[in-house]
Amino acid sequence: MNEQYVRDLHEVDETQVALVGGKGAHLGALSRIEGVRVPGGFCVTTEAFRRIIAQAPSVGDLLDRLSHAKADDREAIRTISAQIRRTIEETAVPDDLAAAITRALARSGERAAYAVRSSATAEDLPTASFAGQQDTYLNVVGPESILRHISRCWASLFTERAVTYRRRSGIDHRTVRMAVVVQRMVFPDASGILFTADPLTGDRKSATVDAGFGLGEALVSGLVNPDVFTVRDGRVVARMIAAKQHALTALPAGGTQEVEIDAQQQEQPALTDAQAVRLVELGRRIEAHFGHPQDIEWCLVDDGFRIVQSRPITTLFPVPERADGENHVYVSVGHGQMMTDPMKPLGYSMWQLTAMVAMHEAGGRLFVDVTPRLAAPASRAALLDALGKGDPLVRDALQTVLDRGDFVPSLPDPGPGGPPAGGPPPGGAPAGGVRPGGVADPIATDPAVVAELIERSRVSLAALERDIRTKSGPALFDFLLEAFEEHKRVLSDPLNIQAIMAGMEATWWLNDKLGEWLGEKNPADTLTLSAPGNVTSEMGLALLDVADVIRPLPEVVAFLRGVRDDGFLDELAKVAGGPEARDAIEAYLDRYGMRCVGEIDITRPRWREHPSALVPVILDHVRNLEPGAAGRRFELGRQKARQKEQDVLSRLRALPDGDRKADETKRMIDRVRTFIGYREYPKYGIISRYSVYKQALTAEAERLVRAGALAEREDAFYLTFQELHDVVRSNRPADARLVRQRKEAFRAHHALTPPRVLTSDGEALTGAYRRDDVPAGALVGVPVSAGTVEGRARVVLDMAEADLEAGDILVTAFTDPSWSPLFLGIAGLVTEVGGLMTHGAVIAREYGLPAVVGVERATRLIRDGQRIRVHGTDGYVEILP
């Protein structure tokens, strides 16, 4: 069939999405798979749609208006979309186009019944399924009716739901075209949906079959509850048979009707177990062809299956690529690093090259394979203990996998030279920084140790800054590979690891022992207030000093309220008091300008590149706090810690064997105050080095743009370090198609929720707290900073958009060190991600803020502006009436 406007299904495949849309392309591909039966039919191509749009010039103007409508202006989107649909439906189908469609119908059976189905070019894609966003019409009979329904399908490209979905997916309305599939109608005994991976857990080895009597639209529309079969390893392992009171059937003259099912048949299964297994085998063949888990619509006719649609399941989190066929258990790095957003390829490849353990990418996130440690009994206990202290949900998820007994292999314990226990880094500590027994070698409680470590890091950073200045081209990449080894050497310095662990272990000791001896809950939260040498808390306090400079300068305050871009510092110097304010901000950037939200991704703009990100926080401090707040805050914390120490030691001495207990506790208090501040420094050192790497790589990317090897500087971010190295070394342009694909994938990764634990079968596990000591309806998390506070919840997903008042409680997904300046203007903290020793927890304790972290879905369950009560000692949040 060589018509310009019509293609037989057998003539198309998945490479022709631009011509026949996603559905048409997939159906054509399905019809070519051996053993897969697809009802015959044809596609009305996107060229026909283009012809119709050309005949309706007003559509162009309406599309302009639709593109400029604000995302939250639902009424405008609804009105404009309806106008576009009405215009398309009222546009007459040209005679030659109508004749081409009629000829195709004559070949397929003019008086037969057909399904007329929308097939958009942005549909059934690996990153966006668009399931249900455009229209399908069943049991359409006769050429006139079919032409009318084809027009309706064209128009359905602009349903309100399809327009909204495209906007959310970042797809331009003008770039999408609509084809239409016209397919012989199937009148099934049963129909439904097959997911070749469990759509809830992500398990790729479990398939789920939803089945009902009659046409499948009854299931899709929610008219009936389906039978559900779970099939694994060639057998049905679970089934749920629903009472199916209704079905959708075809009318002889066209259209469909709802009918009641005979009472004796209602609870009969729509499929036998053998049929469900056979269907899944067919699904596995389809999945293998497309290379992705599939969402498949099927019909059962005379004990034979017909496939009427197959699309990728776009909600599954990807699995790290491994070719060994073995079982693997992965733990999220992002949850340990308090940055669960996706990273661009240059970002995650740089983290892989500088990390202390091997990391595997999936969905733009990084994971550590902990299978070897789980497999050996002794290392398993140490791993669970270490990860459980960081995030109890990770421990519970791992325990869930272990309890199954058949997924993790059993291996002997590694010897002294085996890999470290660890896993993903707990905050700023290098991954694998714990000996196999889980305890670092002890060091003396001596502030000189911390001073020496900071000096070692400073010297190494200064050498990096000095030596990289003259490097470019291939020599730069050779230099960076050597610099990465120095980077890891600094992190793996035994003294560095000992100092980090000394502070953490002293914290655990104090909480455990004082809980046992005095009944105290988390006393270390108070004992660590205003601990010296915490570079992250100092960063927050330093921004208060900037606010102190700006507060008495009204012209500067007024100017900053109007800042909209990052070039404001030069303009600031022109207003009264501006030079003084600019100098204060510049001095802050000199010290902390390498930091930013999501700073482990080198591609994120640093504060030095994006200084306007700090302006809202500075203005909040000017408005909410008094001059000298930094010094008062620190001194108040120090006094509270001192008072707590005196109280604890006094009470201990009154106990049996009290002098010994008090002496041990005093030693641990001294130890925690000596070392706990340092645990933030390694991350500061990492990000300081990253800033140097980025400046050099950005300069190189600009050189590549001038040479024509990159279209724009940011394209370098969508190549891995190795790929960028290859571009420089080969002196050839980067693969523009690869860059475009990476940009599309990065956008799609934002829609995925990374799991704390992921198996090689694709199962995503989030873990559970399993607590019964919290009030009904409370949101459970990890208690990380003692105290109880009640206030207005401010749900903030972007630090730059924070608008906080004194007494507000910050509710957000995660906080890395860059968020710490916000902590000085709030009364409490709730996050979705975190554990006892992650950055947000450490800084909350530093500032004495009641905090609960690891509260699943907190930003969705708590509404902005609601009053909540944070129980930082007991680890839960109440939403108040």
Side-chain angles (χ1 to χ4, degrees):
M1 190 181 295
N2 296 315
E3 300 274 7
Q4 178 185 6
Y5 300 121
V6 177
R7 289 283 191 278
D8 190 274
L9 278 178
H10 291 287
E11 294 179 336
V12 299
D13 59 26
E14 61 263 51
T15 67
Q16 294 173 276
V17 171
L19 183 67
V20 296
K23 187 180 287 95
H26 277 78
L27 285 168
L30 284 165
S31 68
R32 297 164 180 241
I33 302 173
E34 184 178 354
V36 175
R37 301 171 68 183
V38 176
F42 58 90
C43 297
V44 181
T45 69
T46 55
E47 287 300 315
F49 176 80
R50 194 189 306 271
R51 176 93 176 269
I52 292 296
I53 296 300
Q55 288 192 195
S58 64
V59 170
D61 295 334
L62 291 168
L63 282 173
D64 282 340
R65 289 173 54 196
L66 187 62
S67 297
H68 290 102
K70 293 182 179 179
D72 58 355
D73 192 347
R74 297 287 298 278
E75 185 58 36
I77 292 172
R78 184 181 301 115
T79 301
I80 299 169
S81 298
Q83 288 179 282
I84 296 174
R85 291 197 304 276
R86 186 165 57 251
T87 301
I88 292 173
E89 287 189 35
E90 291 173 354
T91 300
V93 178
D95 291 343
D96 60 331
L97 174 53
I101 294 170
T102 302
R103 284 195 297 273
L105 284 170
R107 286 189 286 269
S108 298
E110 189 171 295
R111 302 311 305 173
Y114 288 88
V116 182
R117 313 172 70 193
S118 302
S119 180
T121 52
E123 179 177 89
D124 294 354
L125 305 175
T127 56
S129 73
F130 279 80
Q133 301 304 314
Q134 284 92 212
D135 289 347
T136 286
Y137 301 95
L138 300 178
N139 199 30
V140 183
V141 179
E144 288 186 9
S145 182
I146 287 169
L147 284 170
R148 188 166 60 252
H149 283 86
I150 288 172
S151 290
R152 290 179 180 175
C153 283
W154 286 331
S156 75
L157 187 64
F158 298 100
T159 61
E160 184 183 353
R161 63 182 182 273
V163 167
T164 302
Y165 191 105
R166 282 197 295 275
R167 184 188 287 269
R168 193 167 61 242
S169 301
I171 296 173
D172 186 344
H173 304 302
R174 291 182 173 279
T175 65
V176 184
R177 300 286 181 265
M178 178 68 85
V180 180
V181 174
V182 180
Q183 215 172 356
R184 285 291 291 260
M185 211 28 217
V186 174
F187 303 99
D189 303 314
S191 57
I193 301 168
L194 161 63
F195 297 96
T196 62
D198 188 313
L200 297 179
T201 69
D203 186 351
R204 270 55 164 188
K205 290 190 175 178
S206 290
T208 301
V209 177
D210 290 1
F213 295 122
L215 294 169
E217 288 298 303
L219 300 185
V220 174
S221 66
L223 177 63
V224 298
N225 291 324
D227 298 339
V228 181
F229 300 84
T230 302
V231 178
R232 186 179 178 91
D233 297 329
R235 64 188 183 89
V236 174
V237 295
R239 71 180 62 75
M240 183 185 71
I241 307 303
K244 299 171 289 295
Q245 297 177 341
H246 301 88
L248 206 63
T249 62
L251 291 168
T256 61
Q257 68 176 351
E258 179 185 332
V259 298
E260 289 192 13
I261 295 176
D262 182 87
Q264 293 183 331
Q265 190 186 6
Q266 287 179 5
E267 296 193 16
Q268 292 296 312
L271 294 178
T272 65
D273 282 7
Q275 287 171 330
V277 169
R278 184 150 47 91
L279 175 61
V280 171
E281 290 172 350
L282 197 61
R284 293 293 182 215
R285 196 175 304 169
I286 295 169
E287 178 184 69
H289 175 85
F290 289 117
H292 302 282
Q294 296 288 299
D295 166 356
I296 298 167
E297 295 181 23
W298 56 270
C299 298
L300 179 66
V301 183
D302 299 328
D303 201 38
F305 288 105
R306 307 290 192 277
I307 304 301
V308 296
Q309 188 161 332
S310 185
R311 62 170 72 91
I313 306 175
T314 59
T315 56
L316 301 178
F317 198 86
V319 181
E321 293 184 11
R322 302 293 287 272
D324 58 10
E326 301 292 330
N327 289 348
H328 295 275
V329 181
Y330 302 97
V331 172
S332 166
V333 171
H335 285 80
Q337 287 293 336
M338 301 293 281
M339 210 292 277
T340 56
D341 288 347
M343 300 168 72
K344 297 186 181 77
L346 184 62
Y348 65 69
S349 65
M350 290 283 284
W351 197 258
Q352 287 172 311
L353 287 166
T354 53
M356 303 303 298
V357 293
M359 294 184 176
H360 308 275
E361 183 272 336
R365 281 82 168 186
L366 291 172
F367 295 84
V368 171
D369 185 354
V370 297
T371 317
R373 282 286 152 193
L374 286 177
S379 59
R380 178 189 310 151
L383 177 70
L384 292 175
D385 182 60
L387 293 180
K389 282 188 168 75
D391 187 338
L393 292 178
V394 171
R395 177 181 183 133
D396 185 80
L398 291 174
Q399 193 63 56
T400 299
V401 177
L402 289 169
D403 288 346
R404 293 172 183 163
D406 59 353
F407 190 83
V408 177
S410 182
L411 299 174
D413 286 313
V434 187
R435 291 192 294 108
V439 180
D441 294 328
I443 54 174
T445 302
D446 183 357
V449 172
V450 172
E452 179 184 347
L453 285 166
I454 291 174
E455 179 61 13
R456 290 183 189 180
S457 178
R458 190 197 64 77
V459 169
S460 177
L461 178 64
L464 173 65
E465 291 172 331
R466 180 190 66 240
D467 295 342
I468 204 170
R469 288 174 189 154
T470 59
K471 304 297 189 295
S472 65
L476 170 64
F477 287 83
D478 294 339
F479 173 82
L480 283 172
L481 288 172
E482 294 178 5
F484 297 161
E485 294 307 309
E486 168 66 7
H487 181 122
K488 290 189 281 189
R489 187 197 65 75
V490 171
L491 285 178
S492 61
D493 182 336
L495 190 62
N496 180 52
I497 295 168
Q498 290 166 334
I500 292 168
M501 293 309 301
M504 294 170 68
E505 287 169 351
T507 300
W508 300 331
W509 188 97
L510 288 167
N511 284 335
D512 290 346
K513 290 299 185 182
L514 296 183
E516 175 189 342
W517 294 337
L518 299 176
E520 288 266 356
K521 279 190 175 180
N522 304 326
D525 294 359
T526 305
L527 292 167
T528 55
L529 287 172
S530 298
N534 187 317
V535 69
T536 304
S537 64
E538 289 169 358
M539 177 175 68
L541 294 170
L543 202 61
L544 288 183
D545 294 334
V546 175
D548 283 354
V549 172
I550 290 170
R551 190 177 291 106
L553 304 171
E555 292 89 347
V556 169
V557 172
F559 174 86
L560 291 178
R561 285 176 181 150
V563 164
R564 296 291 180 270
D565 59 52
D566 293 318
F568 72 93
L569 287 171
D570 289 337
E571 293 299 314
L572 174 59
K574 299 175 184 178
V575 305
E580 183 182 359
R582 184 188 62 180
D583 289 348
I585 295 172
E586 287 282 6
Y588 186 86
L589 292 173
D590 287 344
R591 174 79 166 133
Y592 303 109
M594 80 294 289
R595 310 217 80 151
C596 67
V597 174
E599 60 192 6
I600 69 171
D601 182 353
I602 198 172
T603 71
R604 292 283 190 105
R606 312 285 118 177
W607 286 341
R608 171 54 77 182
E609 303 167 70
H610 183 39
S612 61
L614 291 171
V615 171
V617 189
I618 294 171
L619 290 174
D620 281 350
H621 290 344
V622 167
R623 183 176 68 249
N624 297 331
L625 299 168
E626 297 296 324
R632 287 195 304 276
R633 290 257 178 151
F634 188 82
E635 180 58 25
L636 179 61
R638 195 186 65 79
Q639 290 176 8
K640 285 183 177 179
R642 179 64 178 163
Q643 290 164 3
K644 185 69 173 180
E645 176 181 334
Q646 291 172 345
D647 173 65
V648 163
L649 295 178
S650 174
R651 291 162 60 197
L652 284 173
R653 288 193 178 97
L655 298 177
D657 198 20
D659 287 342
R660 179 189 62 80
K661 292 173 179 174
D663 289 345
E664 286 185 19
T665 300
K666 173 60 175 168
R667 285 196 295 273
M668 284 299 175
I669 291 173
D670 290 346
R671 193 166 181 80
V672 79
R673 293 192 67 81
T674 297
F675 291 113
I676 199 62
Y678 176 73
R679 85 166 293 287
E680 291 293 298
Y681 196 87
K683 182 71 168 286
Y684 177 80
I686 290 171
I687 301 307
S688 296
R689 296 182 72 89
Y690 263 42
S691 180
V692 178
Y693 303 153
K694 183 176 186 179
Q695 290 174 44
L697 288 171
T698 299
E700 191 64 22
E702 289 169 347
R703 186 187 68 78
L704 291 172
V705 170
R706 292 193 298 272
L710 287 177
E712 55 186 24
R713 186 184 73 176
E714 282 69 26
D715 284 357
F717 298 162
Y718 295 93
L719 301 173
T720 65
F721 179 87
Q722 295 87 340
E723 290 164 347
L724 188 58
H725 189 181
D726 289 343
V727 170
V728 171
R729 187 170 47 202
S730 66
N731 206 27
R732 290 198 301 267
D735 184 339
R737 181 169 171 270
L738 175 65
V739 170
R740 187 169 59 253
Q741 289 173 343
R742 293 276 178 76
K743 289 180 179 180
E744 292 171 358
F746 180 70
R747 281 195 297 270
H749 290 160
H750 278 280
L752 300 173
T753 300
R756 283 174 165 82
V757 172
L758 180 68
T759 73
S760 50
D761 284 351
E763 185 177 5
L765 298 105
T766 57
Y769 287 110
R770 309 185 193 283
R771 289 176 56 184
D772 56 8
D773 59 342
V774 298
L779 308 181
V780 183
V782 181
V784 297
S785 187
T788 300
V789 66
E790 181 179 318
R792 180 180 67 160
R794 294 312 310 265
V795 179
V796 179
L797 300 180
D798 182 345
M799 176 182 158
E801 296 177 2
D803 182 15
L804 300 167
E805 299 286 349
D808 283 348
I809 297 170
L810 175 63
V811 180
T812 189
F814 58 82
T815 61
D816 60 11
S818 69
W819 287 71
S820 61
L822 285 182
F823 288 16
L824 289 153
I826 60 175
L829 174 69
V830 178
T831 70
E832 294 180 341
V833 176
L836 186 62
M837 297 308 295
T838 46
H839 293 283
V842 171
I843 304 307
R845 290 193 292 273
E846 276 281 313
Y847 293 157
L849 295 176
V852 180
V853 302
V855 180
E856 284 286 281
R857 301 191 301 133
T859 59
R860 283 165 282 183
L861 296 174
I862 299 172
R863 295 195 310 273
D864 186 57
Q866 279 186 315
R867 289 197 67 78
I868 62 174
R869 185 179 297 125
V870 178
H871 295 263
T873 304
D874 296 313
Y876 64 91
V877 179
E878 292 179 285
I879 299 176
L880 303 177

